mmCIF file of all heavy atoms in Angstrom:
data_model
loop_
_atom_site.group_PDB
_atom_site.id
_atom_site.type_symbol
_atom_site.label_atom_id
_atom_site.label_comp_id
_atom_site.label_asym_id
_atom_site.label_seq_id
_atom_site.Cartn_x
_atom_site.Cartn_y
_atom_site.Cartn_z
ATOM 1 N N THR B 385 -59.319 48.596 23.782
ATOM 2 C CA THR B 385 -59.692 49.606 22.802
ATOM 3 C C THR B 385 -61.134 49.071 22.271
ATOM 4 O O THR B 385 -61.423 48.035 22.038
ATOM 5 C CB THR B 385 -58.751 49.429 21.509
ATOM 6 O OG1 THR B 385 -57.381 49.640 22.025
ATOM 7 C CG2 THR B 385 -59.055 50.431 20.489
ATOM 8 N N ILE B 386 -61.892 50.124 22.182
ATOM 9 C CA ILE B 386 -63.300 50.045 21.740
ATOM 10 C C ILE B 386 -63.375 50.455 20.324
ATOM 11 O O ILE B 386 -62.870 51.477 19.914
ATOM 12 C CB ILE B 386 -64.232 50.828 22.545
ATOM 13 C CG1 ILE B 386 -64.294 50.258 23.990
ATOM 14 C CG2 ILE B 386 -65.673 50.863 21.973
ATOM 15 C CD1 ILE B 386 -65.147 51.047 24.986
ATOM 16 N N ASP B 387 -63.869 49.492 19.427
ATOM 17 C CA ASP B 387 -64.000 49.818 17.969
ATOM 18 C C ASP B 387 -65.073 50.800 17.822
ATOM 19 O O ASP B 387 -66.090 50.821 18.548
ATOM 20 C CB ASP B 387 -64.324 48.506 17.229
ATOM 21 C CG ASP B 387 -63.282 47.428 17.409
ATOM 22 O OD1 ASP B 387 -62.092 47.837 17.394
ATOM 23 O OD2 ASP B 387 -63.584 46.285 17.602
ATOM 24 N N LYS B 388 -64.908 51.664 16.809
ATOM 25 C CA LYS B 388 -65.861 52.770 16.566
ATOM 26 C C LYS B 388 -66.452 52.690 15.252
ATOM 27 O O LYS B 388 -65.673 52.515 14.215
ATOM 28 C CB LYS B 388 -65.200 54.097 16.859
ATOM 29 C CG LYS B 388 -66.118 55.298 16.740
ATOM 30 C CD LYS B 388 -65.401 56.595 16.901
ATOM 31 C CE LYS B 388 -66.221 57.804 16.479
ATOM 32 N NZ LYS B 388 -65.569 59.033 16.574
ATOM 33 N N VAL B 389 -67.746 52.792 15.062
ATOM 34 C CA VAL B 389 -68.386 53.004 13.802
ATOM 35 C C VAL B 389 -68.861 54.406 13.804
ATOM 36 O O VAL B 389 -69.703 54.825 14.575
ATOM 37 C CB VAL B 389 -69.582 52.067 13.565
ATOM 38 C CG1 VAL B 389 -70.245 52.282 12.301
ATOM 39 C CG2 VAL B 389 -69.103 50.605 13.635
ATOM 40 N N SER B 390 -68.276 55.265 12.910
ATOM 41 C CA SER B 390 -68.707 56.726 12.914
ATOM 42 C C SER B 390 -70.018 56.925 12.395
ATOM 43 O O SER B 390 -70.639 56.071 11.634
ATOM 44 C CB SER B 390 -67.637 57.488 12.066
ATOM 45 O OG SER B 390 -67.880 57.235 10.707
ATOM 46 N N TRP B 391 -70.572 58.041 12.734
ATOM 47 C CA TRP B 391 -71.906 58.414 12.231
ATOM 48 C C TRP B 391 -71.973 58.549 10.741
ATOM 49 O O TRP B 391 -72.899 58.184 10.051
ATOM 50 C CB TRP B 391 -72.349 59.713 12.933
ATOM 51 C CG TRP B 391 -73.663 60.152 12.559
ATOM 52 C CD1 TRP B 391 -74.033 61.384 12.052
ATOM 53 C CD2 TRP B 391 -75.014 59.488 12.729
ATOM 54 N NE1 TRP B 391 -75.330 61.497 11.775
ATOM 55 C CE2 TRP B 391 -75.967 60.335 12.260
ATOM 56 C CE3 TRP B 391 -75.293 58.227 13.150
ATOM 57 C CZ2 TRP B 391 -77.246 59.984 12.154
ATOM 58 C CZ3 TRP B 391 -76.671 57.810 13.111
ATOM 59 C CH2 TRP B 391 -77.555 58.715 12.666
ATOM 60 N N ALA B 392 -70.815 59.058 10.238
ATOM 61 C CA ALA B 392 -70.726 59.240 8.721
ATOM 62 C C ALA B 392 -70.868 57.894 8.072
ATOM 63 O O ALA B 392 -71.551 57.725 7.048
ATOM 64 C CB ALA B 392 -69.383 59.946 8.340
ATOM 65 N N GLU B 393 -70.213 56.878 8.710
ATOM 66 C CA GLU B 393 -70.170 55.565 8.135
ATOM 67 C C GLU B 393 -71.666 54.959 8.187
ATOM 68 O O GLU B 393 -72.104 54.289 7.248
ATOM 69 C CB GLU B 393 -69.203 54.821 8.967
ATOM 70 C CG GLU B 393 -68.898 53.366 8.231
ATOM 71 C CD GLU B 393 -67.912 52.603 9.100
ATOM 72 O OE1 GLU B 393 -67.183 53.030 9.931
ATOM 73 O OE2 GLU B 393 -67.988 51.284 9.027
ATOM 74 N N VAL B 394 -72.297 55.283 9.342
ATOM 75 C CA VAL B 394 -73.713 54.695 9.429
ATOM 76 C C VAL B 394 -74.652 55.321 8.367
ATOM 77 O O VAL B 394 -75.338 54.665 7.705
ATOM 78 C CB VAL B 394 -74.242 55.074 10.942
ATOM 79 C CG1 VAL B 394 -75.671 54.723 10.949
ATOM 80 C CG2 VAL B 394 -73.563 54.297 11.889
ATOM 81 N N GLN B 395 -74.364 56.658 8.206
ATOM 82 C CA GLN B 395 -75.281 57.342 7.216
ATOM 83 C C GLN B 395 -75.029 56.868 5.749
ATOM 84 O O GLN B 395 -75.896 56.735 5.010
ATOM 85 C CB GLN B 395 -75.066 58.894 7.342
ATOM 86 C CG GLN B 395 -75.744 59.357 8.577
ATOM 87 C CD GLN B 395 -75.872 60.856 8.453
ATOM 88 O OE1 GLN B 395 -74.990 61.613 8.354
ATOM 89 N NE2 GLN B 395 -77.150 61.347 8.537
ATOM 90 N N ALA B 396 -73.669 56.619 5.489
ATOM 91 C CA ALA B 396 -73.316 56.112 4.121
ATOM 92 C C ALA B 396 -73.925 54.781 3.909
ATOM 93 O O ALA B 396 -74.340 54.345 2.820
ATOM 94 C CB ALA B 396 -71.769 56.054 4.005
ATOM 95 N N GLY B 397 -74.024 53.942 5.087
ATOM 96 C CA GLY B 397 -74.654 52.587 4.902
ATOM 97 C C GLY B 397 -76.092 52.574 4.847
ATOM 98 O O GLY B 397 -76.610 51.805 4.106
ATOM 99 N N VAL B 398 -76.744 53.227 5.701
ATOM 100 C CA VAL B 398 -78.212 53.032 5.808
ATOM 101 C C VAL B 398 -78.993 54.281 5.239
ATOM 102 O O VAL B 398 -80.205 54.330 5.337
ATOM 103 C CB VAL B 398 -78.713 52.775 7.218
ATOM 104 C CG1 VAL B 398 -78.050 51.467 7.729
ATOM 105 C CG2 VAL B 398 -78.313 53.974 8.174
ATOM 106 N N GLY B 399 -78.207 55.294 4.696
ATOM 107 C CA GLY B 399 -78.827 56.444 4.173
ATOM 108 C C GLY B 399 -79.145 57.444 5.207
ATOM 109 O O GLY B 399 -78.886 57.238 6.430
ATOM 110 N N PRO B 400 -79.515 58.662 4.852
ATOM 111 C CA PRO B 400 -79.647 59.719 5.769
ATOM 112 C C PRO B 400 -80.632 59.314 6.986
ATOM 113 O O PRO B 400 -81.779 58.873 6.652
ATOM 114 C CB PRO B 400 -80.288 60.897 4.948
ATOM 115 C CG PRO B 400 -79.953 60.615 3.589
ATOM 116 C CD PRO B 400 -79.873 59.054 3.502
ATOM 117 N N ALA B 401 -80.140 59.394 8.157
ATOM 118 C CA ALA B 401 -80.950 58.872 9.272
ATOM 119 C C ALA B 401 -81.651 60.103 9.967
ATOM 120 O O ALA B 401 -81.132 60.912 10.483
ATOM 121 C CB ALA B 401 -80.039 58.135 10.202
ATOM 122 N N VAL B 402 -82.998 60.026 9.758
ATOM 123 C CA VAL B 402 -83.808 60.986 10.516
ATOM 124 C C VAL B 402 -84.824 60.287 11.259
ATOM 125 O O VAL B 402 -85.463 59.311 10.746
ATOM 126 C CB VAL B 402 -84.546 61.903 9.413
ATOM 127 C CG1 VAL B 402 -85.397 63.000 10.058
ATOM 128 C CG2 VAL B 402 -83.506 62.502 8.388
ATOM 129 N N PRO B 403 -85.006 60.682 12.514
ATOM 130 C CA PRO B 403 -85.967 59.964 13.341
ATOM 131 C C PRO B 403 -87.431 60.082 12.773
ATOM 132 O O PRO B 403 -87.733 61.193 12.378
ATOM 133 C CB PRO B 403 -85.862 60.568 14.660
ATOM 134 C CG PRO B 403 -85.094 61.788 14.504
ATOM 135 C CD PRO B 403 -84.207 61.704 13.265
ATOM 136 N N GLY B 404 -88.179 58.978 12.768
ATOM 137 C CA GLY B 404 -89.485 59.026 12.234
ATOM 138 C C GLY B 404 -90.533 59.458 13.201
ATOM 139 O O GLY B 404 -91.611 59.822 12.876
ATOM 140 N N THR B 405 -90.213 59.371 14.530
ATOM 141 C CA THR B 405 -91.097 59.776 15.555
ATOM 142 C C THR B 405 -90.366 60.740 16.556
ATOM 143 O O THR B 405 -89.178 60.704 16.536
ATOM 144 C CB THR B 405 -91.585 58.510 16.400
ATOM 145 O OG1 THR B 405 -90.452 57.831 16.996
ATOM 146 C CG2 THR B 405 -92.330 57.508 15.504
ATOM 147 N N ARG B 406 -91.218 61.424 17.281
ATOM 148 C CA ARG B 406 -90.627 62.517 18.143
ATOM 149 C C ARG B 406 -91.382 62.447 19.405
ATOM 150 O O ARG B 406 -92.637 62.322 19.424
ATOM 151 C CB ARG B 406 -90.745 63.847 17.437
ATOM 152 C CG ARG B 406 -90.161 65.003 18.244
ATOM 153 C CD ARG B 406 -90.174 66.222 17.206
ATOM 154 N NE ARG B 406 -91.561 66.555 16.713
ATOM 155 C CZ ARG B 406 -92.361 67.400 17.415
ATOM 156 N NH1 ARG B 406 -92.030 67.901 18.673
ATOM 157 N NH2 ARG B 406 -93.570 67.602 16.983
ATOM 158 N N LEU B 407 -90.653 62.507 20.545
ATOM 159 C CA LEU B 407 -91.249 62.500 21.834
ATOM 160 C C LEU B 407 -91.885 63.962 22.059
ATOM 161 O O LEU B 407 -91.149 64.939 21.905
ATOM 162 C CB LEU B 407 -90.235 62.251 22.827
ATOM 163 C CG LEU B 407 -90.660 61.946 24.300
ATOM 164 C CD1 LEU B 407 -91.543 60.785 24.354
ATOM 165 C CD2 LEU B 407 -89.479 61.750 25.265
ATOM 166 N N THR B 408 -93.145 64.006 22.287
ATOM 167 C CA THR B 408 -93.732 65.355 22.431
ATOM 168 C C THR B 408 -94.022 65.800 23.892
ATOM 169 O O THR B 408 -94.076 66.943 24.146
ATOM 170 C CB THR B 408 -95.168 65.417 21.673
ATOM 171 O OG1 THR B 408 -95.902 64.323 22.119
ATOM 172 C CG2 THR B 408 -94.906 65.302 20.171
ATOM 173 N N SER B 409 -94.137 64.826 24.763
ATOM 174 C CA SER B 409 -94.447 65.196 26.077
ATOM 175 C C SER B 409 -93.905 64.110 27.095
ATOM 176 O O SER B 409 -93.852 63.004 26.774
ATOM 177 C CB SER B 409 -95.961 65.261 26.252
ATOM 178 O OG SER B 409 -96.291 65.283 27.613
ATOM 179 N N PHE B 410 -93.332 64.574 28.185
ATOM 180 C CA PHE B 410 -92.789 63.641 29.160
ATOM 181 C C PHE B 410 -93.074 64.118 30.530
ATOM 182 O O PHE B 410 -92.719 65.231 30.921
ATOM 183 C CB PHE B 410 -91.217 63.632 28.909
ATOM 184 C CG PHE B 410 -90.503 62.650 29.757
ATOM 185 C CD1 PHE B 410 -90.315 61.334 29.312
ATOM 186 C CD2 PHE B 410 -90.054 62.975 31.005
ATOM 187 C CE1 PHE B 410 -89.671 60.392 30.155
ATOM 188 C CE2 PHE B 410 -89.349 62.065 31.833
ATOM 189 C CZ PHE B 410 -89.183 60.772 31.319
ATOM 190 N N ARG B 411 -93.925 63.339 31.226
ATOM 191 C CA ARG B 411 -94.408 63.733 32.517
ATOM 192 C C ARG B 411 -94.151 62.603 33.535
ATOM 193 O O ARG B 411 -94.200 61.444 33.187
ATOM 194 C CB ARG B 411 -95.903 64.120 32.531
ATOM 195 C CG ARG B 411 -96.235 65.417 31.790
ATOM 196 C CD ARG B 411 -97.600 65.762 32.242
ATOM 197 N NE ARG B 411 -98.633 64.774 31.755
ATOM 198 C CZ ARG B 411 -99.292 64.873 30.507
ATOM 199 N NH1 ARG B 411 -99.074 65.964 29.847
ATOM 200 N NH2 ARG B 411 -100.109 63.967 30.223
ATOM 201 N N LEU B 412 -94.000 63.004 34.861
ATOM 202 C CA LEU B 412 -94.023 62.004 35.880
ATOM 203 C C LEU B 412 -95.429 61.649 36.165
ATOM 204 O O LEU B 412 -96.360 62.442 35.978
ATOM 205 C CB LEU B 412 -93.401 62.508 37.125
ATOM 206 C CG LEU B 412 -91.861 62.826 37.056
ATOM 207 C CD1 LEU B 412 -91.414 63.448 38.317
ATOM 208 C CD2 LEU B 412 -91.124 61.506 36.776
ATOM 209 N N PRO B 413 -95.786 60.423 36.574
ATOM 210 C CA PRO B 413 -97.101 60.159 36.990
ATOM 211 C C PRO B 413 -97.560 60.987 38.148
ATOM 212 O O PRO B 413 -96.709 61.482 38.907
ATOM 213 C CB PRO B 413 -96.998 58.638 37.420
ATOM 214 C CG PRO B 413 -95.614 58.242 37.509
ATOM 215 C CD PRO B 413 -94.809 59.393 36.796
ATOM 216 N N PRO B 414 -98.828 61.378 38.246
ATOM 217 C CA PRO B 414 -99.244 62.184 39.372
ATOM 218 C C PRO B 414 -99.022 61.571 40.725
ATOM 219 O O PRO B 414 -99.112 60.248 40.758
ATOM 220 C CB PRO B 414 -100.799 62.370 39.086
ATOM 221 C CG PRO B 414 -101.108 61.236 38.201
ATOM 222 C CD PRO B 414 -99.957 60.896 37.385
ATOM 223 N N PRO B 415 -98.691 62.352 41.664
ATOM 224 C CA PRO B 415 -98.485 61.796 42.980
ATOM 225 C C PRO B 415 -99.695 60.931 43.498
ATOM 226 O O PRO B 415 -100.814 61.494 43.253
ATOM 227 C CB PRO B 415 -98.124 62.931 43.906
ATOM 228 C CG PRO B 415 -98.459 64.162 43.107
ATOM 229 C CD PRO B 415 -98.626 63.832 41.640
#
Side-chain angles (χ1 to χ4, degrees):
Chain B
T385 305
I386 291 176
D387 301 320
K388 181 180 167 184
V389 176
S390 72
W391 180 238
E393 197 183 332
V394 171
Q395 287 197 300
V398 299
V402 181
T405 59
R406 183 169 59 86
L407 192 61
T408 53
S409 169
F410 186 86
R411 283 196 301 264
L412 291 178

